[in-house]
Amino acid sequence: MARMPNENGCGVETHAMEPEAPGRGSARWGPQHAGAKELANLYSPGKRCQEWLSVLLCFALVAFNFIHLLANFHLGHLWYILLSIVAGILTADFSSGLVHWGADTWGSVDLPIFGKAFIRPFREHHIDPTAITRHDFIETNGDNCMLTIVPLANMAYSFLTLSPAEIYSFYAWYCYLFALAIFVTLTNQIHKWSHTYFGLPRWVVFLQDCQVILPRKHHRVHHVSPHETYFCITTVVKVPRNFRLLEELEEGQKGVGDGTVSWGLEDDDDMTLTHWRGVILGPQRTSFENRMYNLKVVCGPEYPESPPFVKFVTKINLNGVHTSSGEVDVNAVTALAKWQNSYSIRMVLLELRRLMTCKENTKLPQPPEGQIYNN
């Protein structure tokens, strides 16, 4: 387990980057992990041949369609072209997240055809996140190239058979398909760059910094257990506030973690997902032991760009919590003081629980059990 230190020498407990392998002395993750070796060995010569054919055919179709798009370009379509390109990029990003979620969540490597060919790379990636950086261009991009062959071939057929007037009327649609195909093709390459920390071309780093393509810091969040967020691996689209809070609500309902903290909406009819309740189970061998602490958490309209407001409902004597109101001092909790949009309600509750285990807090006398703050 990793720990995020705070000013009091305590910190929030975060999960290791990858699941621990069974057996003492075995690698927890990386290329030496037994599971990673087993999954890597499933890469077959037949799979390699399929990837080569897919890459060659895909790039031939890309070149053919690009030439015909240029030949049929008209200035009158300029704004439609720009909108189509943006729509294609967003669709590719959403599709990458959907496929990523599906491959992480459903099926197994034992499924006929799809298991070894398509699910295997995703499962290997969670055990050995750096494996993708050791894959060459063909292995990295072969499957994605295969996905684009049919729409690119259909577009090429249209250019060969339709009249100039018909092509003109469908030009914006072809631009959308072409942008979608390009970014679907490059999704795994962009994903690979997000795991590469040395030797990247300057233009790639520039695009990452501008968040045109997936940056390293953003994707790192997905590789923190339980790997249930930040699935999109093409570009960075800001997740709407309510989508993010719905993810947190789902995690709270599933009971993610060891049960020492829990969270959920105060009112199930709260459509704004603003008012939350949290519960912290007091740590053992402290004055908080065997006590349940209820909290109020308010996620404002700027969440997750801004931290939530946190207040204890159950009376508590804890450094960093106002004795008269139960409000949590933002500066006393690292997760709030140094808030990042990747943090969550769960992380705040975990850190508050960790504060209870700090030396200066463990023996503090507590108010009678069951008392609550009036305001």
Side-chain angles (χ1 to χ4, degrees), residues 43-60 136-143 145-146 149:
Y43 187 66
S44 65
K47 174 67 175 171
R48 180 71 173 181
C49 180
Q50 170 254 308
E51 290 172 345
W52 261 108
L53 291 173
S54 298
V55 169
L56 292 174
L57 189 53
C58 171
F59 276 82
D136 62 10
F137 184 86
I138 301 299
E139 185 175 357
T140 300
N141 300 290
D143 288 338
C145 287
M146 184 184 68
I149 288 174

Side-chain angles (χ1 to χ4, degrees), residues 178-190:
F178 190 76
L180 175 60
I182 290 293
F183 272 83
V184 167
T185 298
L186 294 176
T187 288
N188 266 355
Q189 186 63 50
I190 293 169

Side-chain angles (χ1 to χ4, degrees), residues 88-333:
I89 294 170
L90 295 178
T91 305
D93 192 48
F94 174 78
S95 300
S96 73
L98 187 63
V99 172
H100 192 177
W101 170 80
D104 282 0
T105 308
W106 303 100
S108 73
V109 294
D110 297 322
L111 283 175
I113 302 176
F114 287 97
K116 292 182 181 180
F118 302 109
I119 295 177
R120 176 197 64 83
F122 289 92
R123 303 298 167 85
E124 177 191 10
H125 183 60
H126 274 217
I127 300 174
D128 181 10
T130 61
I132 193 172
T133 64
R134 299 189 296 275
H135 296 170
D136 62 10
F137 184 86
I138 301 299
E139 185 175 357
T140 300
N141 300 290
D143 288 338
N144 286 51
C145 287
M146 184 184 68
L147 293 174
T148 63
I149 288 174
V150 172
L152 287 173
N154 182 67
M155 186 190 298
Y157 178 78
S158 298
F159 281 129
L160 291 173
T161 58
L162 296 182
S163 66
E166 290 174 314
I167 292 174
Y168 182 88
S169 63
F170 288 107
Y171 192 82
W173 170 250
Y174 293 146
C175 289
Y176 167 75
L177 282 181
F178 190 76
L180 175 60
I182 290 293
F183 272 83
V184 167
T185 298
L186 294 176
T187 288
N188 266 355
Q189 186 63 50
I190 293 169
H191 185 195
K192 177 180 178 178
W193 286 332
S194 74
H195 283 279
T196 304
Y197 287 85
F198 303 100
L200 283 177
R202 290 184 179 179
W203 64 272
V204 172
V205 176
F206 175 76
L207 291 176
Q208 288 178 334
D209 291 341
C210 294
Q211 299 195 350
V212 175
I213 62 175
L214 183 68
R216 291 162 287 188
K217 183 178 179 180
H218 181 90
H219 184 57
R220 197 182 305 151
V221 179
H222 175 71
H223 283 277
V224 177
S225 180
H227 316 288
E228 293 182 345
T229 57
Y230 289 73
F231 286 103
C232 297
I233 51 176
T234 303
T235 184
V236 179
V237 179
K238 184 177 177 181
V239 178
R241 170 187 177 277
N242 282 15
F243 284 10
R244 166 64 182 275
L245 286 170
L246 284 171
E247 285 184 350
E248 295 197 40
L249 179 61
E250 184 182 5
E251 287 186 5
Q253 291 171 339
K254 287 180 178 178
V256 173
D258 56 8
T260 55
V261 300
S262 59
W263 62 99
L265 285 173
E266 272 191 359
D267 182 357
D268 291 337
D269 295 328
D270 181 7
M271 302 302 293
T272 64
L273 305 176
T274 298
H275 300 283
W276 296 67
R277 63 179 182 274
V279 178
I280 299 175
L281 177 63
Q284 294 181 350
R285 295 184 293 277
T286 69
S287 58
F288 311 97
E289 186 175 5
N290 295 327
R291 294 193 178 203
M292 301 284 286
Y293 291 93
N294 292 294
L295 299 90
K296 178 179 290 187
V297 181
V298 179
C299 298
E302 300 301 319
Y303 185 89
E305 301 305 319
S306 299
F309 168 80
V310 184
K311 175 183 181 296
F312 276 85
V313 175
T314 307
K315 280 194 173 183
I316 187 172
N317 184 14
L318 179 68
N319 288 314
V321 177
H322 294 288
T323 56
S324 60
S325 65
E327 291 183 14
V328 175
D329 184 357
V330 171
N331 296 320
V333 182

